[in-house]
Amino acid sequence: MSLVNVVGMLVLDNPCAFTNPFQFEITFDCLSPLPDDLEWKVTYVSSAEDSTLDQVLDEVMVGPVPVGTNKFVLQADPPDVSRIPPSDVLGVTVVLVTCSYKDAEFCRVGYYVNNEYSEPYDEEQGPPNPIDPLKVQRTILADKPRVTRFPIDWNLGAAAASHGQQQQQQQQQQ
């Protein structure tokens, strides 16, 4: 049973300029006192073909977390456009909001993001190169998040989760 349940995530300032920060209003329930902080992370997928280009936009520790319903706004800087392949600046990508306890991820919320050039351009030639990030509009498909939950041992965190995964792999090999 999860001791923390994300019950709501609102995408704020959407659509907006590509250069605006990401903002998420997160509501979660805490069912039991937690001795350690929760780690929230925002990751921008710069290229579907190369995960080494993913950009961690922000990591924040939240705690101590009281029992009950909690709410806060998580704001993260926009991605560094110079670290995105030019062919991937425009089009569809993903932004991930994850939450971990004792280094064990237990919740991941993914949103599709569409980046469009805001000025008209010749379709045959494509947008100007290099792309001016000030002329790119970001739209997050906020009404269709992809939510993934992972079971963890709330007493031991990552060590227990890793041990559990190793046991599952050993059982599958038998």
Side-chain angles (χ1 to χ4, degrees):
M1 178 174 98
S2 181
L3 298 182
V4 175
N5 295 306
V6 177
V7 295
M9 191 172 299
L10 295 175
V11 178
L12 307 176
D13 191 26
N14 184 46
C16 66
F18 181 83
T19 54
N20 284 15
F22 284 89
Q23 297 180 63
F24 303 93
E25 182 183 270
I26 300 170
T27 305
F28 64 94
D29 290 335
C30 182
L31 304 178
S32 179
L34 298 176
D36 293 302
D37 294 347
L38 296 173
E39 179 186 22
W40 295 86
K41 187 184 327 184
V42 179
T43 304
Y44 185 84
V45 176
S46 297
S47 173
E49 287 81 35
D50 187 354
S51 63
T52 64
L53 297 175
D54 290 357
Q55 297 182 46
V56 174
L57 304 180
D58 204 354
E59 292 178 88
V60 297
M61 302 302 282
V62 175
V65 179
V67 172
T69 301
N70 299 272
K71 184 187 290 191
F72 73 103
V73 173
L74 176 57
Q75 181 170 307
D77 289 335
D80 178 354
V81 74
S82 70
R83 294 180 47 207
I84 302 172
S87 61
D88 290 328
V89 173
L90 300 180
V92 177
T93 189
V94 173
V95 66
L96 302 170
V97 179
T98 60
C99 190
S100 301
Y101 182 69
K102 294 184 177 182
D103 295 323
E105 181 180 346
F106 65 89
C107 183
R108 179 182 303 162
V109 181
Y111 291 99
Y112 288 109
V113 178
N114 188 34
N115 297 312
E116 295 180 319
Y117 204 69
S118 61
E119 293 187 356
Y121 59 88
D122 182 349
E123 291 290 330
E124 290 182 18
Q125 292 184 347
N129 194 3
I131 292 174
D132 180 355
L134 296 173
K135 296 179 180 174
V136 176
Q137 178 169 308
R138 178 181 70 223
T139 304
I140 299 173
L141 188 56
D143 60 339
K144 298 200 184 220
R146 303 287 183 201
V147 179
T148 307
R149 292 177 178 84
F150 305 98
I152 66 168
D153 182 329
W154 289 88
N155 296 315
L156 301 175
S162 174
H163 180 70
Q165 290 170 351
Q166 289 173 354
Q167 284 182 329
Q168 283 180 337
Q169 290 172 352
Q170 288 173 352
Q171 289 172 353
Q172 289 172 353
Q173 291 172 355
Q174 295 175 354

